[in-house]
Amino acid sequence: MTEALCDRRPEPTLERLLADLVPPPRFARARLDNYVPDPAFPSQEDAKQRVTEFAAQLGRPQGGGFLAKFRRRPTAAQGIYLDGGFGVGKTHLLTSLFHAVEGERVYGTFVEYTDLVGALGFQRAVDLLGQSVLVCIDEFELDDPGDTLLMTRLIRELSDRGVAVVATSNTLPDALGEGRFAAQDFLREIQAMAERFQVLRIDGEDYRRRDGVTEIVSLPEGTVREHAQAQEGATLDDFDDLLGHLKTVHPSRYGSMIDDVPAAHVTGLHGLSQHHDALRFVVLVDRLYDREVPVLVSAAAGEGGDDAEVFSDLFAPDLLRSGYRKKYFRALSRLASLAHDGAGRLGADGRAGA
């Protein structure tokens, strides 16, 4: 019988939470020398050079000898904030920096760090992370004031201990001035330590569009079900059931919920009009994308039907105009890529296409 994600209720241990503080599989091979800047956007080359220099600085000896014992506290560390639209290579640069630096370093998304603080308590989390040379924070969020203040306090305390912190944001690539606005929001929230961060604006187009992957491929429901049943370890879920299940699982556990899943299958895909459902689904898409799990989807009746080749309107127009729109547009891009990979599995697995 084919398993469903709805059957999974992960309870990750503290050891698992700590073990997950590394770059996700999709970016395991990301390095500075294989980041290829788009010549049409010079800020990409500038960011690559600055991150390269920053990695070299972290690798330099900090000095010691006779004077070291008189130092009462480490010098506050400098950091970088990579600001820009989705798909311009910010995560690639962040993971490349992680791999370029030696010593203790950790990497996680904003929500993974907030969950770690919740599991450990603030001071214990500071003591643990404070042993690192570098802390990488992907997808820094400004949506929840409480979480934002928690994370900015964490950053400040880590920086005071001499830990370098590098973070990324996501903004719409075509929203004039909005990338700068996000950077200003970030700096205002951490105004007590703003001088410790250099903001690097990275312009460009979503790299996934370079491959022509712009739309979510919808397959006939029968094809999706048949493929799911034929693939060992694959999951099959009705979209509404999945949305209901996501309410019962903390978003920080969505990654462990898809452990060892070779492909995810979803039937009855339809448009979303409520933020709470949409934002939870965005986090699931992010974790599927990070772990390179292909997704095969079929649209619900009335959403294109079994004969549809493209699914559109996943998020209602008012959601795409909201303060969360950067998340929604990123999710559309990533789900289109995953669905393209999923549709490609049909031929690769020796099955008939849609």
Side-chain angles (χ1 to χ4, degrees):
M1 179 179 178
T2 304
E3 186 182 11
L5 292 177
C6 290
D7 298 329
R8 297 185 168 203
R9 298 184 179 277
E11 296 287 344
T13 64
L14 176 57
E15 289 72 20
R16 169 62 191 271
L17 293 176
L18 295 174
D20 280 347
L21 292 180
V22 294
R26 180 173 292 274
F27 297 98
R29 296 175 296 278
R31 299 292 187 276
L32 288 167
D33 60 4
N34 58 30
Y35 175 77
V36 182
D38 186 337
F41 299 94
S43 60
Q44 294 186 16
E45 176 63 36
D46 292 343
K48 177 180 179 179
Q49 292 302 319
R50 180 65 188 95
V51 170
T52 301
E53 294 168 1
F54 190 77
Q57 291 172 2
L58 289 180
R60 291 172 188 161
Q62 298 302 306
F66 178 76
L67 293 177
K69 62 182 179 181
F70 293 102
R71 296 193 183 103
R72 295 187 176 183
R73 63 184 303 175
T75 302
Q78 298 295 311
I80 291 178
Y81 185 67
L82 298 170
D83 177 54
F86 53 85
V88 297
K90 299 186 307 299
T91 300
H92 188 126
L93 288 172
L94 186 66
T95 53
S96 296
L97 176 62
F98 177 93
H99 291 301
V101 173
E102 296 183 357
E104 286 292 324
R105 65 261 196 258
V106 292
Y107 178 106
T109 62
F110 182 94
V111 70
E112 286 175 318
Y113 285 113
T114 57
D115 186 54
L116 184 68
V117 172
L120 291 175
F122 184 83
Q123 192 56 52
R124 189 179 174 197
V126 170
D127 291 340
L128 179 67
L129 297 174
Q131 302 173 33
S132 305
V133 174
L134 171 69
V135 169
C136 299
I137 307 173
D138 200 17
E139 302 170 12
F140 196 98
E141 300 180 3
L142 295 167
D143 305 326
D144 183 280
D147 283 346
T148 300
L149 290 175
L150 172 71
M151 286 298 293
T152 53
R153 180 187 169 199
L154 178 67
I155 290 173
R156 184 168 58 250
E157 298 222 9
L158 291 175
S159 180
D160 285 345
R161 294 190 181 202
V163 179
V165 179
V166 179
T168 72
S169 74
N170 280 283
T171 56
L172 289 173
D174 58 348
L176 296 177
E178 197 157 74
R180 287 296 177 190
F181 179 72
Q184 291 167 4
D185 281 351
F186 176 79
L187 295 176
R188 182 169 57 249
E189 291 291 347
I190 58 169
Q191 54 186 319
M193 54 173 288
E195 69 279 2
R196 303 181 197 174
F197 274 81
Q198 178 183 5
V199 176
L200 299 181
R201 170 67 183 180
I202 307 178
D203 301 298
E205 300 175 348
D206 182 359
Y207 77 91
R208 287 173 287 269
R209 291 180 175 269
R210 300 177 197 173
D211 299 326
V213 180
T214 60
E215 298 173 316
I216 300 169
V217 176
S218 174
L219 303 168
E221 181 175 337
T223 300
V224 173
R225 291 184 176 277
E226 181 183 359
H227 189 269
Q229 293 164 1
Q231 303 302 304
E232 183 177 356
T235 59
L236 174 63
D237 292 88
D238 171 78
F239 189 50
D240 281 326
D241 291 343
L242 181 59
L243 293 176
H245 181 60
L246 294 180
K247 295 179 183 179
T248 70
V249 179
H250 191 277
S252 63
R253 299 177 180 178
Y254 290 2
S256 53
M257 188 170 68
I258 59 174
D259 279 350
D260 303 318
V261 173
H265 301 70
V266 179
T267 60
L269 191 70
H270 61 75
L272 296 171
S273 59
Q274 300 298 319
H275 281 300
H276 56 272
D277 284 335
L279 289 172
R280 280 190 285 264
F281 188 60
V282 164
V283 177
L284 178 62
V285 170
D286 285 342
R287 300 293 80 79
L288 289 165
Y289 184 80
D290 286 345
R291 288 157 176 77
E292 300 182 300
V293 179
V295 179
L296 288 82
V297 302
S298 65
E303 298 280 348
D306 282 349
D307 295 330
E309 294 183 354
V310 170
F311 176 81
S312 58
D313 303 324
L314 177 60
F315 301 115
D318 60 323
L319 298 188
L320 296 177
R321 292 192 297 267
S322 74
Y324 299 109
R325 58 193 178 276
K326 60 179 179 276
K327 294 178 182 290
Y328 296 140
F329 279 106
R330 184 186 72 222
L332 288 172
S333 174
R334 289 183 167 184
L335 185 56
S337 178
L338 294 174
H340 179 268
D341 293 343
R345 290 285 294 269
L346 293 174
D349 295 334
R351 308 193 63 77

